[in-house]
Amino acid sequence: MKMFTPRSMFASLGVALCAASGPSPAAAPAQVTLPDPGQMPAGQKQASRANHPNILIILLDDAGYAQADTVGGEIHTPTLSRIANSGIMYNAFHATAISSATRASLLTGRNNHRVGNGTIVEMSSKNDGYTGVIPTSAATVADILRANGYSTVAFGKWHNTPPDENTPVGPFKHWPTAYGFDHFYGFIGGDTDEYSPSLVNDTTVMDPPHRPGYHLTEDLTRHAVDWLDQHQASSPDKPFFMYWAPGAVHAPHQVFQQWTDKYKGKFDSGWDAYRQRVFERQKKIGWIPQNTENNPRPAEMAAWDSLSPQQKQFQARLMEVYAGYLEHTDTQAGKIVDELDRLGLRDNTLIFYVFSDNGASAEGTQGTITDAMGVNGVTVSPEKQLDVLNRTYGGLSALGGPRVHEHYNAAWAWAGESPFIGTKLVAGYLGGTRVVLGVSWPRGIVHDNKVRPQFHHVNDIAPTIYDVVGVQPPAVFNGVKQLPLDGVSMVYSFNDASAPPRKTRQYFETLGSRAEYADGWMASVFGPRKPWVADQSGLISWAGKLAFLTHQPWIGDTFGWMKWKPKNDVWSLYDLKTDFSQAHDLAGQFPAKVAELKKMFEEDAVENHVNPVGASFNVLFKGVMQQGPATGNWHFPGNAVPMSEFAAPNIKSRDNRVTVEAEFPANPHGVLFAIGGISGGISLYVDKGVLTYEYNSFGLTRTHISAPWTLGPGHATVEAQLDMQSSRRGGPAKVILRVNGAQVAEGIVPVTIALAGSAGDLFGVGKDTGTGVSLDYVDRVPFAFNGKIRDVHVVYQ
C-alpha cells in the first residue's frame, strides 16, 4: 500500500505528488458506477449492503486547520492519516464558524440560518434564523436514510436541541431520536466534562459515571464499536449510517496524563515559532499553494518572547494537554475504523472525517484554568490563575485532570490556523470556517495523493450521501413540504482532483461576522467582536446596559443593544484563486466587485433568514440564556431528575430566594441543591451537620457562608437568599442564610456568574450529580443528602 505521510503527502495544490515511501501499491480498486439518484425513491423500505454503502461521519470539535500532522501540523493524528492514505483530502472545505450551526447544516444539507441555527442553541431567539430548532421541512440525512432502509445511530455531542427542552421530561421532539436516529448515546449541549459527563441514552438522562479510569471519548467509542458488533449480528445485510461526534477537542481540555506527557517540551518554543514551522511544512508537503502568505499575529495576542519564564511554562503546558487530547480523540476514532475492518465492512463504508465543526477556539483568551470565564466575559490575569492553580489544585500537573476546566491561550488557536487570519466565531475569514476534510470509500474512491482544491461546505455532505446511495430527497416528507437542498454533491471530485468546482456561491454569518463567496472571490466583514478579547462590554449601548441592569428587555431592540451597526461595516475583498490566505484586500481596486458581492449577501440573507444580522447578541448581552416559567417561580420535588443549567432557574446572577423544606436526620450530610460544577456554580450542602452555601466563581474564588452550629434531627426550612449588590455584570452579591425563618449567616460573593457556570453541568436537588461545585465534597460526588427533601422552591425577587 502506498503510504500517505505528512512529509510526502502533497507536491503542490491540485498536482500529483512525489511518490511516498513504502512498498509499491496494490492494484487500485475498481471505480464504482454510482446509482442513478432517481433509481431509489424516498420511502422505499429495503436497502442492502450489496448495493448501498454504509456511511460514517466523524466530526471533531474546535480543532485547527494547522494542527494535525497529516496536513503539516505537529499533533499526531494517525486516523486522519489513515483516511487520507486510503482516500482523498480537501483543503478548501468549510464549516460555519460555530457549533450548532455547522451540525444543523451538515445533517440537513441546508444553510444553517434556513434551518433555524444561526448561532448556538443557547443563544436562540424568536427570529426565524435563530430559533435553535431544525424544522420538519428540513428532514435530516438520518430521516431520509432510515426511510430508505438504513439503520441510523448517533454518538457524542448533540447541540441542536433548544435549552428549555433539555430537561428529563423533554419535550423530546427536537432530540436526536426525533431527527431520524434509531439510537443516541451522548450528551445534549455545547460541551461536558470528559470524566463526569452529563449523559443521555436515547431520551433517558443518566447519572455521570463516577469511576476511576473513565473518559467520555473512550466511552463513546466503546458504544459505537458495540453497536457495530450488535448490528452485524442482528442485521448483517442492512446498511447503516453512524454519526460519531465526540465533542472533543472542545474545552474543557481533559485527557489522561500519559497522553499529555507525549508532548512534554514540544511547544516550549511558543506559538510564533510553531505557526512559522507549520506554515513552511504546509507548503513543503503541498497542503497549501506555494504562493500562500502567512498572516501576522493579531495585536491583542502577546508575542511569545514577551512572556515571563513562568508564563511560558504555563502556556506551553496548556498546549501539551490540548495536543494529547487531540491525539487521544483521533486514536479513539481509529478504533471504530478498526472494527469496520475486523467486521469486513470497511471496503464499502463511505467515511467523512470532518476534522472540525469550526476553526480552532480562541475563547481561552489569555489561557485559563476555567473555560467558562470566556463566555461570561471575565478577565483574570494568567499570573493570578497560575497562582490559584498552584495553591488550590496542585500546580501544572492538575491541567488536563478532573479538577480544572482548562482552555489554551488564543494565540495557540491562531498558530493552529496557519495561514489564516481568524479563529472560531469569525465567519468572515477562513480561519473560522475552513476545516480539514478527509473522505475514504475503498470500493468507490480510487486513492490518490492529489489535494482536492474545490470550494465546498458542510451543507454538501448530505447531497453527496444521497448521490452515492441513489436516493432522491422527497419533495414531501412525513406530510411536510421540504425546503430545497442548498448543498451540491461532491461526487464529481471523488475520482477527479482537477474537476472544475460545482459550488459557485456560499454565504457565511456568525455573531455579525460575515462573508459572501462567489466564483473564487470572497467579500468579508470581520464583525463587531474579536473572540480572543474577553471583555466585550464596549459593544453594548447605553440602552443595552440599562435593559440588562433593570431586566427590562423592551428598552432596546436587536440593534438597540449594540454600539455596532452592521450597515456601517466596511467590507474587504479577496481573490481566493490567487490569494489562498486572504492576505491582500482588493476592495479599493475592485469596488464594483465588492458591491456585487454585498448585494449577493443581502439576497442570501433574505432568502435564509439571516436578518437581523446580530440577532444572537440579544440573548448574550441581556444575560438571560436561562429559560423557565415566566413567573420566575419553580417547585422541585426531592426526587427531581437533574436538568440542564440552561433550562434551570437563574439563581446565580439575579435576585432570588431558594427555600428547602426537608427532614434532617441525626448527623445530616449531603447536597440540598446545586447548580453548575467544578468550573463554577452554587451548592447548598450539609457536611458533618454544618449548613454551608458555597458560591464557586469559576474555580478562582470560592465563597463559603456557613451556619455557626450544626443542624439537629427533624423538619427544618432552610432558605438561601441572593441579592445582587451591583449593577455591573458579574458584580458582587449578598447571600443570607436562614433556618426556620431566623438568619444564621450572611456574606458577600465578590464575583457572580452572569451567564453560565458550565455548558455541561446540571441543576440538581438532593445531590450534585456533575463534576462537583465544592472541593469540600468533590471526591464524594454525588454527595447525596441522607435526609428527605419535600420541596425546593425557587422564586425571583
Side-chain angles (χ1 to χ4, degrees):
M1 176 182 289
K2 180 176 286 187
M3 297 303 294
F4 188 104
T5 62
R7 295 189 179 278
S8 60
M9 183 170 65
F10 312 111
S12 61
L13 182 65
V15 180
L17 297 140
C18 324
S21 60
S24 300
Q31 185 169 342
V32 171
T33 300
L34 299 170
D36 185 333
Q39 229 173 13
M40 185 179 185
Q44 184 171 329
K45 300 300 181 182
Q46 299 298 319
S48 70
R49 282 186 178 152
N51 300 313
H52 300 90
N54 306 303
I55 310 293
L56 169 62
I57 294 177
I58 300 169
L59 176 65
L60 300 197
D61 203 314
D62 288 9
Y65 187 83
Q67 291 176 338
D69 64 357
T70 310
V71 293
E74 296 184 356
I75 301 174
H76 190 40
T77 48
T79 305
L80 181 61
S81 294
R82 183 176 176 185
I83 296 302
N85 283 338
S86 61
I88 55 178
M89 298 289 285
Y90 291 79
N91 75 347
F93 185 79
H94 300 81
T96 73
I98 201 166
S99 174
S100 301
T102 289
R103 295 157 199 272
S105 184
L106 185 156
L107 289 169
T108 65
R110 281 93 173 179
N111 290 326
N112 56 294
H113 294 80
R114 188 193 293 274
V115 292
N117 279 258
T119 184
I120 53 172
V121 292
E122 290 84 358
M123 297 171 66
S124 58
S125 66
K126 294 180 180 178
N127 299 94
D128 289 344
Y130 304 88
T131 62
V133 171
I134 298 173
T136 54
S137 56
T140 68
V141 175
D143 282 321
I144 301 301
L145 292 184
R146 184 165 68 176
N148 284 276
Y150 273 68
S151 298
T152 58
V153 63
F155 296 101
K157 172 176 171 175
W158 183 267
H159 204 189
N160 295 103
T161 297
D164 57 331
E165 297 182 20
N166 187 8
T167 77
V169 294
F172 302 116
K173 60 183 179 179
H174 300 125
W175 285 45
T177 50
Y179 281 120
F181 289 103
D182 297 325
H183 173 56
F184 169 72
Y185 179 81
F187 64 96
I188 307 287
D191 69 58
T192 193
D193 189 271
E194 289 288 331
Y195 302 113
S196 299
S198 302
L199 288 172
V200 168
N201 186 25
D202 293 331
T203 58
T204 301
V205 177
M206 305 169 64
D207 284 340
H210 298 295
R211 63 175 184 267
Y214 176 89
H215 194 279
L216 172 61
T217 312
E218 295 180 1
D219 187 22
L220 296 171
T221 302
R222 281 191 295 270
H223 275 78
V225 167
D226 289 348
W227 185 90
L228 285 172
D229 293 346
Q230 184 61 44
H231 186 268
Q232 182 70 356
S234 59
S235 305
D237 296 324
K238 190 175 183 180
F240 65 81
F241 167 50
M242 179 182 289
Y243 174 58
W244 192 79
V249 285
H250 194 291
H253 301 159
Q254 295 175 309
V255 73
F256 305 122
Q257 190 169 338
Q258 62 263 36
W259 292 88
T260 65
D261 283 353
K262 288 184 175 188
Y263 291 90
K264 270 193 173 178
K266 297 198 176 196
F267 303 107
D268 287 355
S269 59
W271 41 70
D272 295 304
Y274 175 93
R275 179 159 170 128
Q276 185 59 34
R277 287 195 306 270
V278 171
F279 174 67
E280 293 169 0
R281 192 180 300 113
Q282 288 172 311
K283 292 213 285 193
K284 182 177 180 180
I285 65 174
W287 176 243
I288 64 176
Q290 295 301 305
N291 67 345
T292 303
E293 296 183 34
N294 205 352
N295 282 285
R297 173 174 30 81
E300 297 84 3
M301 297 180 188
W304 181 261
D305 289 343
S306 71
L307 303 182
S308 68
Q310 186 183 38
Q311 273 303 304
K312 287 180 178 179
Q313 187 181 29
F314 173 54
Q315 302 292 354
R317 186 57 182 168
L318 289 175
M319 184 59 187
E320 290 168 9
V321 170
Y322 174 83
Y325 186 27
L326 179 53
E327 181 179 344
H328 175 265
T329 302
D330 177 88
T331 300
Q332 303 316 304
K335 294 177 181 179
I336 301 174
V337 181
D338 286 342
E339 195 65 9
L340 292 173
D341 270 331
R342 192 186 73 80
L343 295 173
L345 303 176
R346 174 77 174 86
D347 187 59
N348 197 30
T349 298
L350 172 60
I351 300 176
F352 295 89
Y353 193 147
V354 185
F355 198 63
S356 188
D357 59 351
N358 42 240
S361 173
E363 295 158 304
T365 59
Q366 299 178 73
T368 178
I369 62 174
T370 306
D371 65 314
M373 288 197 301
V375 71
N376 284 275
V378 174
T379 54
V380 176
S381 71
E383 288 78 11
K384 181 174 180 180
Q385 294 194 59
L386 185 54
D387 179 60
V388 172
L389 182 67
N390 289 330
R391 285 189 294 102
T392 307
Y393 300 102
L396 294 177
S397 63
L399 295 174
R403 296 290 182 267
V404 293
H405 276 187
E406 66 149 283
H407 198 320
Y408 62 12
N409 192 296
W412 284 122
W414 164 79
E417 283 301 326
S418 168
F420 303 122
I421 300 170
T423 62
K424 174 184 177 181
L425 305 184
V426 179
Y429 286 81
L430 299 177
T433 58
R434 184 160 286 185
V435 300
V436 176
L437 173 68
V439 182
S440 176
W441 178 27
R443 181 175 291 187
I445 297 175
V446 179
H447 162 63
D448 64 47
N449 287 336
K450 300 174 184 178
V451 181
R452 269 57 178 172
Q454 295 88 354
F455 190 102
H456 278 290
H457 187 273
V458 289
N459 61 25
D460 298 329
I461 287 181
T464 303
I465 293 172
Y466 299 147
D467 194 352
V468 167
V469 171
V471 170
Q472 184 67 44
V476 177
F477 186 79
N478 286 341
V480 179
K481 183 179 179 181
Q482 295 295 288
L483 295 167
L485 296 179
D486 294 307
V488 302
S489 172
M490 302 167 64
V491 168
Y492 74 94
S493 64
F494 277 5
N495 291 306
D496 186 358
S498 59
R502 296 186 183 178
K503 192 177 194 73
T504 58
R505 179 171 175 177
Q506 180 64 48
Y507 82 89
F508 298 87
E509 191 280 335
T510 297
L511 292 169
S513 180
R514 52 208 193 275
E516 183 76 19
Y517 169 84
D519 295 319
W521 290 91
M522 180 173 274
S524 300
V525 169
F526 195 91
R529 67 187 299 270
K530 297 177 179 178
W532 48 85
V533 178
D535 183 5
Q536 304 291 337
S537 61
L539 298 175
I540 312 176
S541 69
W542 67 268
K545 291 177 181 176
L546 180 60
F548 173 78
L549 302 177
T550 60
H551 303 290
Q552 300 296 329
W554 52 267
I555 291 177
D557 60 16
T558 298
F559 298 125
W561 299 109
M562 308 289 295
K563 291 181 179 179
W564 162 70
K565 298 294 185 288
K567 65 181 180 180
N568 297 334
D569 282 338
V570 177
W571 290 67
S572 299
L573 177 69
Y574 302 95
D575 181 0
L576 299 184
K577 298 183 294 296
T578 59
D579 181 12
F580 186 81
S581 62
Q582 294 181 291
H584 296 283
D585 180 6
L586 303 179
Q589 294 178 240
F590 302 102
K593 178 59 73 172
V594 175
E596 176 189 347
L597 291 175
K598 285 177 65 177
K599 181 180 178 182
M600 293 173 73
F601 179 85
E602 288 307 317
E603 293 169 353
D604 287 341
V606 171
E607 173 69 18
N608 291 279
H609 313 298
V610 178
N611 295 322
V613 172
S616 305
F617 288 114
N618 241 3
V619 173
L620 182 64
F621 287 132
K622 283 191 286 185
V624 289
M625 285 183 174
Q626 288 80 8
Q627 310 293 317
T631 58
N633 196 326
W634 291 259
H635 283 275
F636 298 95
N639 61 351
V641 179
M643 64 194 299
S644 163
E645 181 178 346
F646 294 103
N650 176 12
I651 60 174
K652 305 179 300 292
S653 59
R654 65 178 302 168
D655 296 347
N656 69 86
R657 186 176 67 255
V658 185
T659 304
V660 181
E661 297 283 348
E663 302 294 333
F664 290 84
N667 302 314
H669 63 263
V671 172
L672 301 179
F673 70 82
I675 188 168
I678 199 76
S679 63
I682 295 171
S683 179
L684 183 67
Y685 60 95
V686 184
D687 198 3
K688 297 179 181 178
V690 176
L691 177 69
T692 298
Y693 176 103
E694 178 173 334
Y695 199 117
N696 171 3
S697 302
F698 308 110
L700 299 174
T701 302
R702 294 174 177 273
T703 304
H704 294 79
I705 302 167
S706 300
W709 35 257
T710 58
L711 289 168
H715 176 85
T717 301
V718 176
E719 184 179 294
Q721 179 175 326
L722 183 140
D723 297 322
M724 297 299 293
Q725 299 293 288
S726 169
S727 58
R728 177 171 54 85
R729 246 181 123 190
K734 182 178 182 179
V735 174
I736 300 172
L737 285 186
R738 299 184 181 93
V739 176
N740 294 330
Q743 180 172 324
V744 297
E746 67 175 52
I748 298 294
V749 176
V751 178
T752 53
I753 300 168
L755 295 176
S758 76
D761 274 297
L762 306 169
F763 171 79
V765 171
K767 57 184 178 179
D768 186 341
T769 58
T771 56
V773 171
S774 176
L775 294 178
D776 289 350
Y777 60 75
V778 70
D779 293 322
R780 293 177 281 168
V781 289
F783 199 41
F785 180 53
N786 64 343
K788 182 177 179 61
I789 296 176
R790 300 193 177 280
D791 180 58
V792 174
H793 182 203
V794 181
V795 62
Y796 291 158
Q797 299 187 113

